[in-house]
């Protein structure tokens, strides 16, 4: 039973790390955070560093809470590109 529980938590953390790297990758590419709701806001460099560090530390554990925001990142990015090309 301990082995099964250990495998479950290991798989959970591996998926969490993949989700975290995906969200941070979108942040580096587009500048969108999980909490922007598709609107890029200016952010000082110190807040950008803090966002990345906090995401790396906390997101692998709590990624299921933010799964809808993580999955909506590509849609927000496409909408941002579409409005940028319209302007």
């Amino acid at each position: 039973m301990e082995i099964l529980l250990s495998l479950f938590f290991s798989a959970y953390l591996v998926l969490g790390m993949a989700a975290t790297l995906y969200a941070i990758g979108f942040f580096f590419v587009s500048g969108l955070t999980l909490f922007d709701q598709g609107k890029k806001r200016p952010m000082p460099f110190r807040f950008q560093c803090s966002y990345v560090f906090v995401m790396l530390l906390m997101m692998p554990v709590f990624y299921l809470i933010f799964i809808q925001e993580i999955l909506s990142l590509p849609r927000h990015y496409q909408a941002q590109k579409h409005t940028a090309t319209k302007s």
Side-chain angles (χ1 to χ4, degrees):
M1 185 66 173
E2 290 176 27
I3 295 172
L4 215 57
L5 196 58
S6 175
L7 285 174
F8 173 75
F9 284 127
S10 296
Y12 180 84
L13 288 176
V14 167
L15 288 174
M17 198 60 199
T20 302
L21 292 175
Y22 181 75
I24 290 175
F26 260 100
F27 175 68
F28 285 135
V29 169
S30 66
L32 294 174
T33 68
L34 288 181
F35 314 107
D36 284 342
Q37 297 175 345
K39 296 177 184 129
K40 185 176 176 184
R41 296 184 177 102
M43 187 185 305
F45 183 71
R46 64 185 174 151
F47 293 156
Q48 291 176 2
C49 293
S50 296
Y51 175 78
V52 171
F53 289 141
V54 169
M55 289 287 285
L56 285 172
L57 290 174
M58 301 296 290
M59 197 62 168
V61 177
F62 298 110
Y63 76 96
L64 279 181
I65 298 170
F66 301 106
I67 196 69
Q68 287 183 334
E69 288 85 2
I70 293 170
L71 295 175
S72 69
L73 282 173
R75 186 173 22 127
H76 291 312
Y77 179 63
Q78 290 298 328
Q80 179 188 9
K81 276 181 36 179
H82 182 64
T83 57
T85 56
K86 262 188 166 178
S87 301

